Amino acid sequence: MTINFTRRDFLKVGGAAAGALALGHFIPPRVAEAARLSGILDATDSGYIPSMCEMCVWRCGLLAKVEQGRVVKLEGNPDHPHSRGNLCPRGQSGLMNTYDPDRVLNPLIRVGKRGEGLFRKASWEEALDLVAQNMLDIKQKYGAEAMVFSSTHNLSQPLFENLLYAFGSPNYGTQRSLCFNAMIVSNLMTYGMEEPARIYDDNLSYILLTGRNLFEAISTSETHDLSAAIDRGAKVVYLDPRFTKTAAKASEWLPIKPGMDLAFHLALLNVIVNERLYNIPFVSLNTIGFDKLQVELQPYTPAWAAPLTGIAAETITRIAREFAAAAPHALAHNGWRTSNFINSFHTQRAISILNALVGNWGVTLTGGGSEESSTLGAPPQPPYPRISAMRLDGVPWKYPVVPLKIGVFQELRDNIVKGDPYQAHGWFIARQNPAMSISDRARTLEAFGKMDFIVTMDIILNDTSWFSDVVLPEASYLERYDPLVPIGDQVFIRQPVIEPQGEAKSALWIYRQLGQRLGLGDFFQYIDEEDYLRQELAPLGVSLEEVKAKGYAQLSETPHASETSEPSWSTPSGKIELYSDTLAKVGFPGVPTWEEPPQPAEGQFYLLTGKVAQQTQFGTQNNLLLHKYSDEPRLWMNANKAASLGLADGDWVEVTSDIGKVNIRLLATQAIREDCVYLTPGYGHLSKGLTTAFGIGASDSALHVTYTDPISGGQALSQTFVTVKKA
Ligand SMILES: Nc1nc2c(c(=O)[nH]1)N[C@H]1C(S)=C(S)[C@@H](COP(=O)(O)OP(=O)(O)OC[C@H]3O[C@@H](n4cnc5c(=O)[nH]c(N)nc54)[C@H](O)[C@@H]3O)O[C@H]1N2
Ligand SMILES: Nc1nc2c(c(=O)[nH]1)N[C@H]1C(S)=C(S)[C@@H](COP(=O)(O)OP(=O)(O)OC[C@H]3O[C@@H](n4cnc5c(=O)[nH]c(N)nc54)[C@H](O)[C@@H]3O)O[C@H]1N2
Ligand code: SF4
Ligand SMILES: [Mo]
């Protein structure tokens, strides 16, 4: 379909819907917001088109200023709970993601050898026919399970899932095992829910952050909440082997030895239990397994944890007491990317349990404000075919407590290489860059080599597309519709603020076209994007025009879990499970227990990774604005350590792990422990189609050895040890 949506139309719609004054000029959002609050102006008359950011998965609401069909400025939408009027640096630079000179604007078909980067432009007809034909050939020869599908969380994912499950493949890879499996599986086992802890309570006075670098690994609203809490005088204790921006703002920075967070938290639990500092009525009413936990915790004293963590016993005891005293206005944040060590599941369980013991439920842990889709309608569709093939990623046969929709991506990759328990032959990759994001890049390229056919859907020629046979160009997030996003009692829209450039198309369009060619049209029963959204809105009695004009629809009040309502948990026992029978039944410890993580040998360093504020993962380094404001990626090393090795700031060094070697310049700094080095992720690109980013820095994925937490399936990203010498 073509989208005929101009600013003039927008103003017409906005004015008609609001019945308010339509202004012919642009007003900055903050001024518009003030005018709106004072009743002078409706927000829809601000001259900015509301939509949603996609520079990271937080998806803040935005207002796009468009002049003569070009986006000239992006601002935060004050009406959106994630942005609250703000966009982070990546969000503000988002227009250069749309105007990247390296955008892929036509379907591409490979003409050279894999990895040579030679493609020719093709029509959509030809490209889609080719993809469908290859998928059908693979299905016919080897069964549907020989097609692997993978995608990182995005709004059109329900349609992607329709494609793969209707096609009949069980093999679905997501980014989750590279990111938050330990936290999610821990919360599921403990509370029966996935929701991570969020900072939100106005009285919150004590916050324990375990490697959650909120001032650089930004989620605007949560980062704001932390800022506000600090302004109010809340105490923030931050554990990280690096002195990050969050460390700089914390009340106390504890440069813990990597992987020893488990020892630290077990010792906190030991003090809180043995000194009876926990919330006794809450624990007796709401939890099961306290006795078993108490027995297990006995050896884990602060004196025991001190040499392991590098944190004095008195400090651990004091923090335990302070934390309990601040309860219920105390929060132990689970963290987000919790894929650090093979013991990370137990670390996460200890954190989940720490929150439970002080009874901060409903005060600092909430399920409110989460994305729910139950209120929205959807096009009708038949049930998926029954799929009996085993999953290649070991779920559930090797990872019995990992949910199917979360999976173990690195294991999927490894079993593609091994051809075990069967050989995969095709890979459909959407909005993801596994060539960079999974550990051991060489092995991911080996997995690509096993494929008869690879198709990617992206907006640029990312490193994975570089190795694919067909590239399907998606319209950028400023050029397309996506399915709606319900948050609490509101529903938000992503809508095109400009026409798509070139031949780029929305995922909604691409998946429907492919579905039809695969004989799966019944799973894509919508005429076009707007029709899909109208079907979603149908049960709500809200028109698409209203949502487009305001950026969201306010639904009638839905009851929220309030602080006073009786909590309930969807665990097998219906209680918070300090001891989990589910875990015990499949042979894992039912209570968190000490498992010592591997440590580097003499002369080796822990290789740390972690986000920087100016970039998202492996997909934004080519953005010209972000490139301009990013620091040169270097290998951080403790300055004293560097001096003792005869290395100076700015030296070129060779970094070697068990599986790879890279060269990079050194940053000698006091901001990191002596036994660690740190490399910014997202550099050292393979794709020469990224003309801005190619040639900059080095890839930590080329060094990372694949270790997997046996319980949560999370990849252990801090467990790679390296040596460093002058290059
Ligand atoms: N700017 C920006 N913001 C982002 C993202 C982005 O790419 N860029 N990505 C988003 C996503 S998908 C995620 S998952 C979140 C991730 O956000 P975070 O959970 O904060 O994760 P990271 O930044 O990957 O790593 C955080 C810190 O963990 C430290 N660390 C490493 N090993 C250990 C250890 O053993 N113990 C302790 N205590 N600390 C350790 C690292 O030094 C690093 O500073 O950020 C989100 N926000
Ligand atoms: N070494 C190391 N590895 C890590 C991490 C780390 O910190 N260090 N972090 C881990 C974490 S937390 C995560 S979440 C994963 C992320 O791993 P991935 O999801 O594989 O990485 P991204 O860079 O987020 O990939 C996003 C891709 O989407 C493309 N893209 C952007 N916008 C659009 C769009 O509108 N449409 C389409 N179709 N494509 C688009 C980008 O060009 C990019 O290629 O990586 C994990 N791996
Ligand atoms: S946190 Fe930043 S990049 Fe992520 S959605 Fe919000 S503004 Fe966009
Ligand atoms: Mo992530």
Side-chain angles (χ1 to χ4, degrees), residues 29-109:
R30 273 168 230 278
V31 178
E33 173 64 358
R36 187 176 71 90
L37 289 175
S38 62
I40 299 170
L41 186 68
D42 186 276
T44 53
D45 288 320
S46 62
Y48 284 71
I49 303 172
S51 191
M52 218 183 287
C53 184
E54 184 74 11
M55 292 295 285
C56 85
V57 294
W58 203 243
R59 283 185 263 280
C60 296
L62 63 77
L63 298 172
K65 182 178 177 183
V66 180
E67 282 175 3
Q68 276 128 32
R70 275 186 80 82
V71 185
V72 295
K73 182 91 179 82
L74 298 173
E75 306 256 10
N77 184 350
D79 287 336
H80 194 283
H82 289 184
S83 47
R84 303 182 199 153
N86 301 289
L87 296 182
C88 83
R90 297 165 296 152
Q92 298 199 32
S93 309
L95 71 170
M96 282 316 294
N97 152 308
T98 286
Y99 296 125
D100 190 326
D102 291 335
R103 273 285 296 281
V104 177
L105 296 174
N106 294 84
L108 299 178
I109 295 178

Side-chain angles (χ1 to χ4, degrees), residues 152 433 437 457-458 462 474 480 609 611 617-619 700:
T152 286
N433 197 359
S437 55
M457 187 179 89
D458 210 284
N462 77 9
E474 194 178 4
R480 68 170 191 253
T609 190
K611 317 292 186 266
Q617 328 282 28
F618 310 90
D700 56 351

